[in-house]
Amino acid sequence: MARIAFILLCHKDPEAIIAQAQRLTAVGDYMAIHFDARASDAHYRMIRDALRDNPNVVFAKRRIKCGWGSWSLVKATLNAVQAAVEAFPRATHFYMLSGDCMAIKSAEYAHAFLDADDADYIESFDFFESDWIKTGIKEERLAYRHIFNERTHKRLFYLSLDIQKRLGLKRDIPHDLQIQIGSQWWCLRRRTIERILDFTRKRRDVMRFFSTTWIPDETFFQTLVRHLIPESEIRCRTLTFLMFSDYGMPVTFYNDHYDLLLSQDFLFARKISPGATRLKERLGDLYAAEGVRFPISNEGRGLFQFLSGRGRIGRRFASRFWETESTLGRERELLILVCKKWHVAKRLLYRIRHVTNVPVIEYLFNEESTYLPDLGGIQSSLGKRTRHRRALMRMLFDYYETDRLIVCMDPGNLDLIQDFCGDRSTTRLLEIECQFSDDYLIGHARRVGLAGDRTPPETLARLLPTIRNDMTFESDRIRDQNFEHHHRIREVDPVAENAAKLSQFLAIPHDKAHEIAATEYLFAD
């Protein structure tokens, strides 16, 4: 059975560290602690005194003064790993933790999880080809030597970098290494750890290289594991659940996140708020629990993006001059079906085509798979379609040799709708208002990743009002624009009333509009 040696890097909150060590070792697991040498010596003595009689706890033999982004973090990790390897010969896995991490599964579950797959869990993506780095310097992390810390000596950090660039002091990467990057929160098997330690003793050139790279805790272990271990034995993921905001800051979890955390496909979570005392108590009791079932829904990241995005709705970039100055053509007419239930809009769309013979296109700005003719590559991706929307639409009018075209759009595409309604051509909107049952909203949440098949009913009950309000909000935003040709049909209205609206929207006789409005099962889910 798996036995875990936790590698804990910490620098504050000694009471929490003591409690964490006692919880994780109470079930037979181990812990090696590195307490930052910059932190309080009194706190360090408190931790050592409290855990002195715990045979499953060991301390790094040498404490390092740690600085974010510097080699010191890797060195501290290696010191703690070496202590754990020597002290715990029965440990099968080594798991990186911080003082802000807590278990979100029981030890029983964690051990079974690790026993089920003989593999290492570590994020490792190609440093140069991946887009893992979102901001800041990239190639310069490796190509130049970083002696100063960017956070504590910013001026010297960038002055040193600039001087090296001016003098052409760019260095080579060790020839046999393919640099990888990923999260520093990993779980590695014993034989992998032993190979890494052996490699560090033999390859002093590699150690010198990484010791002056910037943020090596995101590249050192990630690169060495790929270098030493077959790819088939590596799972390119972390077992610690963590999220980052749009500003690159870690998302903090609070008391009301308990159910969400337990439903994620991870063993630990980071970061738990120091003030979330109730959450800490519940998670603290969890690791030693037996027989607990964990229905995995894994909707955490999608749910966070959905909820945090509600307050930041708007256009991020201004329109390009070649978009704002172009036009579809004064004599042309673009008809847009706007509906959140895509299957309803598609059903109506093809009924309209059958009755009127007007060319129709499905959700071309929402679905990559929407059929479009070959227009020279402008149609090849959603990004291109959106950026060149007016040019794309002009080409579609030309392709179908028509002055009338009907397309579908999601209510969330307000920026696109505004753009087309502001064109010199005539743009008409038909908003299709549907009823949203709880079952439909639950299905929608699962389809877009806000919930999973095993999301607890209590979580869904709290989520449904937010989703329902979001649907209403999108519709209200469209109506607030007071577009000139805005028509609306509703699921709850009689066929005759919807037919009258369709007649106005399509500019067709009432009998043909009635034929369309009377489509059987038009609003069915």
Side-chain angles (χ1 to χ4, degrees), residues 90-226:
R90 297 181 62 189
T92 61
H93 293 77
F94 294 75
Y95 196 122
M96 260 297 276
L97 287 179
S98 76
D100 296 320
C101 297
M102 288 199 72
I104 56 174
K105 297 293 187 293
S106 63
E108 180 182 63
Y109 181 99
H111 294 157
F113 182 96
L114 296 175
D115 282 335
D117 191 9
D118 184 20
D120 296 308
Y121 293 87
I122 183 169
E123 282 189 351
S124 54
F125 304 98
D126 187 278
F127 184 92
F128 297 100
E129 298 298 327
S130 72
D131 63 346
W132 202 86
I133 298 175
K134 303 298 183 185
T135 60
I137 61 175
K138 185 174 182 178
E139 289 83 359
E140 294 91 338
R141 290 191 186 189
L142 307 176
Y144 299 99
R145 296 168 178 82
H146 300 279
I147 309 300
F148 303 101
N149 190 291
E150 194 266 352
R151 289 199 169 182
T152 57
H153 299 90
K154 186 181 291 288
R155 189 181 68 82
L156 291 174
F157 178 91
Y158 287 105
L159 178 62
S160 170
L161 180 58
D162 184 59
I163 290 173
Q164 291 181 73
K165 288 181 177 180
R166 289 170 181 265
L167 297 178
L169 298 179
K170 190 174 183 179
R171 61 177 176 172
D172 293 328
I173 295 171
H175 70 280
D176 58 333
L177 293 185
Q178 182 177 359
I179 304 300
Q180 304 288 309
I181 190 167
S183 167
Q184 64 268 49
W185 310 111
W186 40 255
C187 178
L188 303 177
R189 298 166 299 173
R190 184 180 193 91
R191 62 177 176 270
T192 301
I193 286 292
E194 289 174 344
R195 289 181 186 179
I196 290 174
L197 292 176
D198 185 57
F199 183 92
T200 63
R201 288 188 287 268
K202 294 178 179 177
R203 292 294 301 272
R204 307 313 300 174
D205 60 319
V206 173
M207 299 299 282
R208 285 193 299 271
F209 172 80
F210 277 107
S211 68
T212 52
T213 60
W214 180 234
I215 320 183
D217 53 312
E218 294 179 351
T219 55
F220 178 78
F221 290 97
Q222 296 76 2
T223 300
L224 265 57
V225 170
R226 284 282 178 186

Side-chain angles (χ1 to χ4, degrees), residues 303-320:
L303 185 59
F304 172 76
Q305 292 172 358
F306 169 73
L307 294 176
S308 61
R310 297 307 90 204
R312 294 193 296 274
I313 293 174
R315 298 184 66 179
R316 186 167 181 176
F317 301 108
S319 301
R320 276 76 166 173

